[in-house]
Amino acid sequence: MASRISELVIDCTDPDRLAAFWGEVLGYVELGREEDGSIEIGPPGAGFGGPQPTLVLSPGGGPRNGKLPLHIDVNATDRDQSAELERLLALGARHADVGQTGEESWHVLADPEGNEFCLLRTRLPPL
């Protein structure tokens, strides 16, 4: 018997902004809103419990310092890494420096609230 990740919860100051950003990055749609202002996004037609985890953008994230202990890695599904990097930057991502050497095969980026994530080189097939 095993468990699997069903949701990733990200504390943030602007759930609407991050839901829009991550929705575009991942091709997710809004699944629901809670009274506390949390917004859940996930794959269209699958939602919670599907093959991919949903994201819950939850209000309450205050300023933070330093590298996050957990980050998200993403891979392009329909273009090469360079084209996906351009797309992510146009959506509002920005380059982030977490001590990389410049020789890595991935790009370290930050979402609009500064949460680091990596764009990996390998293209994955869409689900």
Side-chain angles (χ1 to χ4, degrees), residues 4-88:
R4 66 184 178 117
I5 297 172
S6 58
E7 295 178 326
L8 297 172
V9 179
I10 301 173
D11 288 341
C12 58
T13 57
D14 189 345
D16 285 299
R17 183 176 182 199
L18 279 194
F21 174 81
W22 283 107
E24 287 293 325
V25 169
L26 299 171
Y28 278 17
V29 297
E30 185 175 312
L31 300 174
R33 290 176 178 255
E34 298 295 325
E35 287 183 24
D36 70 354
S38 294
I39 302 171
E40 184 170 17
I41 62 172
F48 179 82
Q52 296 173 279
T54 61
L55 294 182
V56 177
L57 295 306
S58 180
R64 61 167 184 79
N65 294 314
K67 186 175 181 266
L68 295 174
L70 174 73
H71 72 266
I72 296 171
D73 288 342
V74 299
N75 296 70
T77 60
D78 63 350
R79 65 197 80 204
D80 67 20
Q81 184 187 42
S82 296
E84 184 65 356
L85 176 61
E86 288 180 31
R87 186 180 82 90
L88 296 176

Side-chain angles (χ1 to χ4, degrees), residues 42 46 73 98 127:
D73 288 342
V98 295
L127 290 176

